[in-house]
Amino acid sequence: MSFQAPKGTFDWMPPRSEWALIVRDALSAPARRAGYEYIETPAFEDTGLFSRGVGESTDIVSKEMYTFQSRGGQSLTLRPEGTASVVRAVIEHGLYGGALPIKLWYSGSYFRYEKAQAGRYRHFSQVGAEALGAEDPALDAELIVLAADGYASLGLKNVRLLLNSLGCKECRPAYRAALQDFLRGLDLDDATRQRIEINPLRVLDDKRPEVQAQLVNAPLVTDHLCGACKAYHEEVRGLLTSAGLTYTDDPKLVRGLDYYTRTTFEFLHDGLGAQSAVGGGGRYDGLSEMIGGPPLPSVGWALGVDRTVLAMEAEGLLAERARHIDVFAIPLGEEAKRRIFPLVGKLRRAGVSVDMAFGGRGVKGAMKAADRSGARYALILGERDLEAEAVQLKDLASGEQTAVPLAEIVATLKEKLTT
Ligand code: ATP
Ligand code: MG
């Protein structure tokens, strides 16, 4: 009997796994530098949090949730996204009573029962950031800039930004009605007709070309925004431009979750095949009240770690091995091993990353392991070196080898590795 990772899941294996860590760090770093603090919530929640918070009519709630009954008889669901949990925690801990906005970031595993394909998994990883309790176009713009900075810091060149506003509870109802009128006149299947009645905006997100072809003349939300929403959106656009960001207005961008109001945005990459969204987010002014909290106008995003790695791969950014061991230590013989072992520890404590040959497979095997490790230097300790209280330092790229006194090797390596 042998086992495989479940369908729609995969293992991050070295050396590629290093990129998952690098991406997670890079995508969260700009938010951390902007005052966002770390939050960690459970991987499962009361099912009701998602059915109310994400919305019954969404794909996520209607067909993608991993829901199970606990032994105590409670209905629980593996989190399909992060925002509802963060808002739940903010309400539960009364954070909204303190300084606003509350700025939080997080990272972890999310679960959706999706049709598994490249870039679309049942278990995937996101970095998220949320700013809660303030209605300020500069906050929407800040978050968008932070996400763009994260992608840029990874060297990604082809990430595009789509921007839209979905209006608010003042102007959305009239737009919704106008859209419903239009959609009811189209040639659509029964499931889509039902969607017109429950959540007509989602029909705009239909990926089928035969549906998209009929939507060409659909009424656009941007033509129905109230004065306040229009002014808010113009301010966000102006701030993005002032920060040097380019974006495309996409009046059909609606996003998959029910709770969005006003600003919505998506980051796309065209090198991913069937899907192109590497991240997305928006403003969700009504979510807190929907799950029993106080009014808490908020904005946030979630960026896909897995798809960002795929985007980097598509741009040829993973050609080099992600992380190198700096030094590979090779003792020749038992006495040398006893001497080199504490030296390796000393180097590591001094901040040098060092591996050493294990398993006694001889010099040839050890040199091979040194090459495979990607190290810049091999540190070779033989019997004659022991007598001379020295060690051979070999530059693995040039092959050049020099003897360095054991007492000086930590300082020598530290200096060589900083240049
Ligand atoms: P899509 O339109 O591709 O289904 P989504 O709108 O469902 O995406 P969000 O809920 O906004 O995605 O999640 C934010 C990001 O998380 C996405 O842009 C994507 O990068 C990533 N993501 C979402 N679902 C998956 C998945 N099943 N597998 C891998 N990454 C995902
Ligand atoms: Mg989806």
Side-chain angles (χ1 to χ4, degrees):
M1 180 93 196
S2 72
F3 295 98
Q4 291 172 338
K7 188 173 174 188
T9 71
F10 67 94
D11 302 305
W12 278 110
M13 301 295 289
R16 203 167 178 276
S17 50
E18 196 63 29
W19 289 107
L21 290 179
I22 290 169
V23 164
R24 217 181 286 251
D25 273 357
L27 294 181
S28 55
R32 300 177 72 179
R33 279 195 296 268
Y36 290 72
E37 293 184 282
Y38 183 63
I39 182 170
E40 197 169 310
T41 62
F44 54 84
E45 297 270 0
D46 203 309
T47 300
L49 173 68
F50 300 120
S51 49
R52 292 188 49 190
V54 178
E56 297 278 4
S57 72
T58 62
D59 283 354
I60 290 181
V61 172
S62 63
K63 55 188 188 206
E64 294 177 357
M65 295 210 298
Y66 280 93
T67 297
F68 60 98
Q69 214 180 27
S70 76
R71 287 175 195 273
Q74 190 188 2
S75 179
L76 298 172
T77 293
L78 297 183
R79 60 181 179 194
E81 59 101 46
T83 306
S85 305
V86 169
V87 177
R88 193 266 307 139
V90 164
I91 297 169
E92 182 173 337
H93 298 276
L95 288 193
Y96 52 84
L100 299 176
I102 305 148
K103 289 170 140 191
L104 300 167
W105 78 274
Y106 53 89
S107 157
S109 291
Y110 297 85
F111 309 87
R112 297 182 193 176
Y113 195 80
E114 304 237 34
K115 219 176 118 198
Q117 49 189 290
R120 187 174 294 286
Y121 311 109
R122 293 179 174 176
H123 167 248
F124 59 98
S125 175
Q126 290 182 337
V127 171
E130 319 280 351
L132 305 100
E135 206 173 349
D136 183 340
L139 205 50
D140 305 40
E142 168 175 283
L143 274 161
I144 294 172
V145 170
L146 294 174
D149 285 349
Y151 293 125
S153 75
L154 289 165
L156 284 164
K157 297 259 184 306
N158 303 327
V159 176
R160 295 186 288 127
L161 169 60
L162 299 185
L163 185 69
N164 194 21
S165 171
L166 292 181
C168 63
K169 58 178 189 287
E170 303 304 322
C171 53
R172 185 113 128 237
Y175 171 64
R176 190 185 138 104
L179 181 63
Q180 279 177 323
D181 266 355
F182 171 85
L183 294 173
R184 284 184 193 121
L186 302 183
D187 176 25
L188 298 165
D189 58 281
D190 286 348
T192 311
R193 297 201 147 275
Q194 267 176 348
R195 190 171 286 165
I196 297 173
E197 304 312 317
I198 309 165
N199 192 346
L201 269 73
R202 295 274 295 120
V203 179
L204 296 178
D205 202 26
D206 202 308
K207 302 284 187 308
R208 291 171 296 180
E210 66 272 23
V211 177
Q212 278 303 325
Q214 297 187 68
L215 296 175
V216 176
N217 294 317
L220 299 177
V221 63
T222 29
D223 296 330
H224 287 76
L225 295 180
C226 62
C229 282
K230 210 176 274 176
Y232 194 97
H233 195 51
E234 280 314 308
E235 190 62 28
V236 172
R237 296 175 78 243
L239 289 168
L240 292 178
T241 304
S242 77
L245 245 62
T246 46
Y247 55 85
T248 307
D249 291 305
D250 180 1
K252 290 206 178 102
L253 177 72
V254 295
R255 317 243 327 112
L257 288 69
D258 267 0
Y259 51 59
Y260 286 109
T261 50
R262 288 197 169 165
T263 313
T264 49
F265 52 90
E266 205 152 74
F267 289 94
L268 302 184
H269 193 281
D270 296 320
L272 302 184
Q275 33 279 317
S276 54
V278 288
R283 180 157 278 282
Y284 49 92
D285 292 341
L287 176 57
S288 170
E289 285 153 292
M290 276 161 73
I291 59 172
L296 205 63
S298 306
V299 54
W301 47 240
L303 314 180
V305 172
D306 315 77
R307 285 190 200 167
T308 301
V309 174
L310 293 175
M312 291 178 72
E313 202 155 44
E315 288 196 26
L317 294 168
L318 307 195
E320 301 230 333
R321 215 190 135 121
R323 199 174 60 106
H324 296 269
I325 279 287
D326 296 319
V327 179
F328 197 91
I330 302 172
L332 306 176
E334 289 306 312
E335 182 53 27
K337 191 166 189 175
R338 272 173 224 123
R339 286 292 298 274
I340 217 164
F341 184 83
L343 177 62
V344 163
K346 207 165 145 190
L347 278 165
R348 289 173 182 161
R349 266 167 247 129
V352 180
S353 41
V354 193
D355 197 2
M356 65 180 270
F358 291 103
R361 270 165 306 177
V363 193
K364 246 174 111 185
M367 282 313 294
K368 225 187 220 164
D371 278 332
R372 225 178 308 134
S373 76
R376 282 172 64 186
Y377 296 101
L379 210 54
I380 306 160
L381 190 62
E383 265 169 41
R384 236 175 304 153
D385 300 315
L386 282 173
E387 279 163 31
E389 286 291 319
V391 60
Q392 301 294 321
L393 182 62
K394 183 173 180 180
D395 183 320
L396 286 167
S398 68
E400 195 185 319
Q401 188 168 317
T402 47
V404 178
L406 273 171
E408 289 167 24
I409 189 64
V410 175
T412 305
L413 268 173
K414 282 212 77 164
E415 198 200 304
K416 279 188 179 291
L417 288 166
T418 50
T419 54

